[in-house]
Amino acid sequence: GDALVDHHRGLRQGAPEVVFGEGKTSDQILRIAEGLLNAGSNMLATRLDADKASALMKVFPDAEYDPLGRTLTIVRHPPQSTGLGTVLVVCAGTSDLPVAREAATTARMFGNAVEELVDVGVAGLHRLLAHLDRLRSASVIIAVAGMEGALPSVIGGLVAAPVIAVPTSVGYGAALGGVAALLGMLNSCAGGITVVNIDNGYGAACAANRINRRPQP
Amino acid sequence: GDALVDHHRGLRQGAPEVVFGEGKTSDQILRIAEGLLNAGSNMLATRLDADKASALMKVFPDAEYDPLGRTLTIVRHPPQSTGLGTVLVVCAGTSDLPVAREAATTARMFGNAVEELVDVGVAGLHRLLAHLDRLRSASVIIAVAGMEGALPSVIGGLVAAPVIAVPTSVGYGAALGGVAALLGMLNSCAGGITVVNIDNGYGAACAANRINRRPQP
Amino acid sequence: GDALVDHHRGLRQGAPEVVFGEGKTSDQILRIAEGLLNAGSNMLATRLDADKASALMKVFPDAEYDPLGRTLTIVRHPPQSTGLGTVLVVCAGTSDLPVAREAATTARMFGNAVEELVDVGVAGLHRLLAHLDRLRSASVIIAVAGMEGALPSVIGGLVAAPVIAVPTSVGYGAALGGVAALLGMLNSCAGGITVVNIDNGYGAACAANRINRRPQP
Amino acid sequence: GDALVDHHRGLRQGAPEVVFGEGKTSDQILRIAEGLLNAGSNMLATRLDADKASALMKVFPDAEYDPLGRTLTIVRHPPQSTGLGTVLVVCAGTSDLPVAREAATTARMFGNAVEELVDVGVAGLHRLLAHLDRLRSASVIIAVAGMEGALPSVIGGLVAAPVIAVPTSVGYGAALGGVAALLGMLNSCAGGITVVNIDNGYGAACAANRINRRPQP
Amino acid sequence: GDALVDHHRGLRQGAPEVVFGEGKTSDQILRIAEGLLNAGSNMLATRLDADKASALMKVFPDAEYDPLGRTLTIVRHPPQSTGLGTVLVVCAGTSDLPVAREAATTARMFGNAVEELVDVGVAGLHRLLAHLDRLRSASVIIAVAGMEGALPSVIGGLVAAPVIAVPTSVGYGAALGGVAALLGMLNSCAGGITVVNIDNGYGAACAANRINRRPQP
Amino acid sequence: GDALVDHHRGLRQGAPEVVFGEGKTSDQILRIAEGLLNAGSNMLATRLDADKASALMKVFPDAEYDPLGRTLTIVRHPPQSTGLGTVLVVCAGTSDLPVAREAATTARMFGNAVEELVDVGVAGLHRLLAHLDRLRSASVIIAVAGMEGALPSVIGGLVAAPVIAVPTSVGYGAALGGVAALLGMLNSCAGGITVVNIDNGYGAACAANRINRRPQP
Amino acid sequence: GDALVDHHRGLRQGAPEVVFGEGKTSDQILRIAEGLLNAGSNMLATRLDADKASALMKVFPDAEYDPLGRTLTIVRHPPQSTGLGTVLVVCAGTSDLPVAREAATTARMFGNAVEELVDVGVAGLHRLLAHLDRLRSASVIIAVAGMEGALPSVIGGLVAAPVIAVPTSVGYGAALGGVAALLGMLNSCAGGITVVNIDNGYGAACAANRINRRPQP
Amino acid sequence: GDALVDHHRGLRQGAPEVVFGEGKTSDQILRIAEGLLNAGSNMLATRLDADKASALMKVFPDAEYDPLGRTLTIVRHPPQSTGLGTVLVVCAGTSDLPVAREAATTARMFGNAVEELVDVGVAGLHRLLAHLDRLRSASVIIAVAGMEGALPSVIGGLVAAPVIAVPTSVGYGAALGGVAALLGMLNSCAGGITVVNIDNGYGAACAANRINRRPQP
Ligand SMILES: Nc1ncnc2c1ncn2[C@@H]1O[C@H](COP(=O)(O)O)[C@@H](O)[C@H]1O
Ligand SMILES: Nc1ncnc2c1ncn2[C@@H]1O[C@H](COP(=O)(O)O)[C@@H](O)[C@H]1O
Ligand SMILES: Nc1ncnc2c1ncn2[C@@H]1O[C@H](COP(=O)(O)O)[C@@H](O)[C@H]1O
Ligand SMILES: Nc1ncnc2c1ncn2[C@@H]1O[C@H](COP(=O)(O)O)[C@@H](O)[C@H]1O
Ligand SMILES: [Mg+2]
Ligand SMILES: [Mg+2]
Ligand SMILES: [Mg+2]
Ligand SMILES: [Mg+2]
Ligand SMILES: [Mg+2]
Ligand SMILES: [Mg+2]
Ligand SMILES: [Mg+2]
Ligand SMILES: [Mg+2]
């Protein structure tokens, strides 16, 4: 079975092992971080509360914490650029920003050039249409939206690039914690939209990274 | 309790009693129709199969059947015009046409001026934007869509008039028989969209009629 | 694309941009409020906790806070009357009052004449029937109910005006956080009832406003 | 363990073993019927298609088949009267009649006096209110309704007797095959409504029978 | 409409207006209580936290609070006995006790003789079978159970009396907050079991009272 | 990776490759059967319609078809006995028989001694209690039930052996196609009940076989 | 608004308008096909029954029909190659083949090099591991699986390329028509898996095409 | 009925009465513990918070508390060994550890030899394949996994022993609190996997114990 196991995940996927902060104590994360940094890695922790973050920043003064996206990053070696195009993270409303930011930070940590476009929900189309050029020049688009989750469908009809849809848990009542947006995106009438889990900005960035770093001839 | 009951439903709601064709035999409908026509009413039957319709048309040569919307109408007295504006029925795809047609026919039978706009789904925005004038001059808009049901949100952002959203059961898999579209519409980010049951073109027309015939000073 | 974008949402929909208070800090709302008021707008914040409200009221002494409906309003210019009839907000039980109040306040801020009718649930019909005249003279009715959500069906059978149904999350167990009431309303046996999201008093008022301010010839 | 088993179900529950016709061939039912009749029982088969019924009626000329309620009954010994009051079966619309009829026939076979009241849905209250006396003189009420299932709540507020609510699968879309009516009835704002499974007229009659034959001092 | 409204709910249903404590402040409940007591009523408050209860008990020293069932009762006039048999409240496990107790207290306040039987879940049948006599001599049985909710089916097969099933939210995971127990009870293979909402001990007692006080000739 | 693949599934799991008949033509099954038989295997086909079965039986006169369990078996070499105890398949009602039979036939084909116990639903406990000895002497019990699915809980409390619960799709309405029974079984108050998919008699037999053939020292 | 509409969808997305065959008559498809072919397009119809296909093949003798994937293709101009790598379509079981084939045919029609890998479900890992080289050399992987839908997670851990997961409706009971597989894929523990609708082989191919044709410098 | 009741549950199931700590005060648990210990039993409390545990440990200094699995054990008499093989508890990720630990501790308290294998999720197959020998020598395997819950399918294909799958509530969004993992496991393509409730490590251990202590000739 050895031939199967000789590639560690970092090499296989171009993605460092990322720490999922939720449900871990700052002590646990500290120990993991030390291990990763000693091994020469950069580090990304997601879903990290401000409390845990400040405990970590006392130990690692070069750490950066983004309270909006709830990510903490420690960059010792600038991530190797993927050499391809731009990952554009678009989001419908300001309430979707935490998820969009998690996606953007993750994609950057994987070496992608990332741009962000905020508050372009479909109930005010002119806001989106004002940015057609940026939409059409992106290499991959991550479209983040809660409530009815219509943004990816509209974008999917405007561009030829891959569109990764991220439903968010923004909304109440029949939003069902993001299930409404999820179902909307899965049933997009724009062909070729793909979807990740609710609030999964991290996963969308991983997918964008898989797309954007290909091919490496 | 008499004061409560002296208005028959026609007067109270501006809507004639409509026959729901599903689950009734053509004989049953025949007898209902004779009763209504003898009482001086026009008649509308919805959800009527072609078979039952042709049986009825042998008895009522002035009946008209629409195989797409599956409605049969017998008009002995032109419906009294509501005197207000136009009800515009808009639908996303050709598969949504049966529901849109049921809405249009019902609204016409209630005395409304009705226009229809087809195949303007949000994955090709230019199709919708090409009709901005018609959208903005309508008195009430009925927006019919299946799959992710995003059409009413986009229309709701473009016009100030009332928008009634009708989810359809068009789609498969995670469309969940129209539930995805229904949830999308209930969570519309465009304020003031209201929603009726899945495939309920009839109900949307009733609501449009309630709106369009007011006020009657 | 310019012709599409030259109308800001206020003009298009007759509704000022309303601040959704949930998930925003009082500082964030303060800054938004200053922007709106400086631009000459009135302001409505919904879903606002008492804590945030009192922080805002220190800065804006003319603000009014309704702890029941959780709305804060700052009116610098009396809203322009719509010139049409009355929006009647009816609710089934006292637990539904917060949602009813959100609807009433929102509709008033949009320039509508608003009346309220409370505690007229269908398990004690005489309470509702005692108000037939007010029901029948309203221009639009917003019917708010939790649990089985039967109120709009009963009202829909008594009046010819548009009825907007608002399910609330009142109830427990099989109420499923308002889904039972929502489904009940979508399946109303009274033709022409339309529905908004669970607890969405704001959306119901937006819809009532779309209806009540038409036509503007 | 013998003391537990010496009462056969008929004695314990006052209900003869009833044959559930669905999924059985007419041959199978024939053999069961012969067994029951030879043992001196009357027989009730529910959920029986017209085809199977006519096969059985050739063998048992005294059998009676009700195509609406889909029940077949063979009465060799008039069921012993329960000696208490009347079971009133009320239903909202004509589409609910099959379930109401199954309930009525079952209750009669158990020896209850049964009355029926049809087409008194809550969207036209006067229809129900015209029968207040019959409602208030019943010993047990079985209230059958599909769609939003509001009928039992309204009845529960008008009478002091037990009300058994039967949701039906009548409706489409968000009716979810009767789940909307079921949830509505479980969340009734009228205290003391109890509920049986969707379309379970048989079960409602069993419950009414349990109530109506008590006490037997 | 007057003939419809001259009976207040107490007379119609034999049940005093009960105060639902959840979501009300102790001040609100205080005012309601004063009104009820001044009008000569007894009072029952359900779903009342210990904090609110002790505030009320300072004002009404004759109030009694049950922390398990979370009910507060003030009895100024012993409730009029129903004159029929015993309401037996049975529950599967100790975690179901709060709901069982709410049912028992409510039924007592309505004038019923009430007995309780605890911890007789179906995974240890001998516990239930040891009480066959009490089960068979009850006039109405309220069967309370969470998790798979099998208790009412087993009891329904052992007795001829009415059985009201109350699902509880006891359990986790696939218990779905009581939905598993609710579905189990609705699908009971014992004919004539009726069901109320999850955790609705109050509603079960109302139903038992409707049954137990009949007939009043 | 070779060490991983040198055991074919038959050896690894003690189960021959079984043909799932649904969705295959009789021609396809014929070809698969020939392959298996030529390779020296016995064969079991599940979910096989009578039509396809008779086509196969013309080619394989030694095949046996069970129309109830819808299995076809061709035994060329008697399956090697597992040498442990008996697998007892118990089912609640006659409608559950097809699933019980699929389980029994599958377990037999895997070399297990199998017994069956039918129509012992929990609404008539004496039927089950009459067989305590057989229940207590079984090595593994497969308990098959639809509707509320309470049978495994009751059995689990009576025996110490492993109990595998199989929910069936028997029932209607709130049975939700077997989901009610499935949830009931997952929430069994009897510790140590395990569950397989709805109607999955095949899977239950595979699990019983895994248990019953251990250990093979 | 003109600048928005001057790109027809073919140019924008690299995908010809594809005909969705379900719910269309062969006459309707015939007319659409003639239009497309006259305009110089190739044509792909999906979800096409064999009956409709043979009607079309009489008119278009160069059409090719795949009864497994239910696609009909008419290629007048070989699709322009995307110039990038291979799209590898992998499926878990033979029952998933129709969806896999729809994906493969669609991707080929868009000009992609396509390979297929069948029957490599995770219950027999060696089957998948035997093809590690093909998995690792693909440019994009479409992983098709029903039941528990675990295949994409396992593949996602083995390769660095983009993985598009397609849940299928294969399975029964708790498979919930593909929802179980869909949820499994959305919750993949392998980072960067994206998902399309149940049975949506077409959509997966559109997404793969968006990925595989980039960049076009 | 006596013969039915003479075996207390410990004897019948080989499992001591275990205290479910959730929802009980430390005082209540204290009293239960005293009763059990005085009766000569060992004691296991599950779902116990650290606070309650330390209160108990002051009274019972020989108690041991595991904060990860949230179990407290008091062993006065070493549990009697089952004499059969090893129960292997395998879990996919570190977040699944609490459930795995609850299973391991419970199985040990029942007298089983238990081993644990952690962090062998299917997105990194080599981690699992490195332990093939331990997997294949276990007598029963408990496979614990959240998110998509694919681990039991992969293990089920690698071993012939019984595999009990435990879904966990680990995950977010479309994980639906463990329902996604539960559905995945119920639809496992590996024959003979059985499943317990979400997070039910205790139940899995009970099932493993039922399997592992058989036969006792
Ligand atoms: N297509 C439709 N969808 C929903 N409700 C309808 C439809 N057509 C008619 N109805 C309603 O059904 C009633 C007639 O039902 P029925 O008496 O069964 O024919 C009408 O008064 C309408 O309220
Ligand atoms: N319409 C019905 N709905 C639900 N249960 C029924 C119905 N009719 C009969 N039953 C029940 O089914 C049992 C007979 O089932 P079977 O032995 O399969 O004929 C009766 O004893 C009743 O408990
Ligand atoms: N009744 C059944 N339910 C579920 N799975 C089955 C059943 N019968 C056979 N199988 C499984 O289906 C596989 C054969 O599938 P196939 O290759 O499509 O014939 C067998 O190896 C079993 O794993
Ligand atoms: N198998 C399929 N699944 C989902 N969408 C499809 C499929 N085949 C075609 N489509 C979409 O349906 C559109 C054509 O729909 P229509 O105009 O109704 O033929 C195409 O442009 C695609 O977007
Ligand atoms: Mg915004
Ligand atoms: Mg179209
Ligand atoms: Mg009230
Ligand atoms: Mg009617
Ligand atoms: Mg207990
Ligand atoms: Mg039976
Ligand atoms: Mg296979
Ligand atoms: Mg891990």
Side-chain angles (χ1 to χ4, degrees), chain A residues 8-198:
Chain A
H8 60 74
R9 221 205 304 182
L11 288 192
R12 275 202 323 278
Q13 304 183 338
E17 186 77 30
V18 177
V19 181
F20 185 71
E22 212 153 282
K24 297 209 176 68
T25 64
S26 45
D27 264 16
Q28 289 177 309
I29 299 172
L30 191 70
R31 250 168 302 134
I32 298 172
E34 275 163 352
L36 290 173
L37 296 171
N38 287 344
S41 255
N42 293 327
M43 148 154 172
L44 166 63
T46 63
R47 309 275 167 122
L48 202 72
D49 288 339
D51 287 359
K52 296 180 192 168
S54 61
L56 285 162
M57 294 176 80
K58 277 174 198 140
V59 184
F60 306 108
D62 61 336
E64 283 184 39
Y65 181 64
D66 171 14
L68 190 54
R70 293 171 60 221
T71 50
L72 182 141
T73 48
I74 306 179
V75 180
R76 298 273 159 94
H77 316 271
Q80 188 190 346
S81 161
T82 60
L84 281 182
T86 299
V87 174
L88 178 65
V89 181
V90 188
C91 79
T94 52
S95 310
D96 301 317
L97 263 176
V99 178
R101 193 59 62 86
E102 183 186 272
T105 302
T106 302
R108 275 195 196 98
M109 287 294 287
F110 290 167
N112 298 279
V114 177
E115 290 184 27
E116 298 176 59
L117 190 51
V118 179
D119 204 25
V120 292
V122 301
L125 274 186
H126 54 284
R127 299 179 297 185
L128 187 68
L129 298 179
H131 297 280
L132 259 183
D133 287 349
R134 290 178 70 194
L135 290 166
R136 289 199 172 143
S137 61
S139 178
V140 191
I141 293 179
I142 295 176
V144 181
M147 303 182 75
E148 88 268 61
L151 184 63
S153 288
V154 171
I155 293 176
L158 295 171
V159 308
V163 178
I164 300 165
V166 191
T168 73
S169 54
V170 168
Y172 56 84
L176 299 179
V179 169
L182 171 64
L183 293 177
M185 290 167 176
L186 286 167
N187 288 289
S188 174
C189 55
I193 306 297
T194 61
V195 187
V196 297
N197 193 11
I198 297 163

Side-chain angles (χ1 to χ4, degrees), chain B residues 19-21 24-38 43 45 48 52-61 63 72 74 76:
Chain B
V19 180
F20 186 69
K24 297 206 174 71
T25 64
S26 46
D27 264 15
Q28 290 176 307
I29 299 172
L30 192 68
R31 250 167 301 135
I32 298 172
E34 275 163 353
L36 291 173
L37 296 171
N38 287 345
M43 148 153 173
L48 203 71
K52 296 180 193 169
S54 60
L56 285 162
M57 293 176 80
K58 278 178 196 135
V59 184
F60 307 108
L72 181 141
I74 306 180
R76 297 274 159 93

Side-chain angles (χ1 to χ4, degrees), chain C residues 126, chain D residues 136 157-158, chain E residues 2-12:
Chain C
H126 54 285
Chain D
R136 289 196 172 145
L158 296 171
Chain E
D2 212 33
L4 305 175
V5 306
D6 58 356
H7 299 289
H8 60 74
R9 221 205 305 180
L11 288 193
R12 273 202 324 279

Side-chain angles (χ1 to χ4, degrees), chain F residues 2-27:
Chain F
D2 212 34
L4 306 175
V5 305
D6 58 355
H7 299 288
H8 60 75
R9 223 208 300 184
L11 287 192
R12 273 201 325 279
Q13 304 184 337
E17 186 78 30
V18 179
V19 181
F20 187 67
E22 211 152 283
K24 298 206 175 69
T25 64
S26 45
D27 264 16

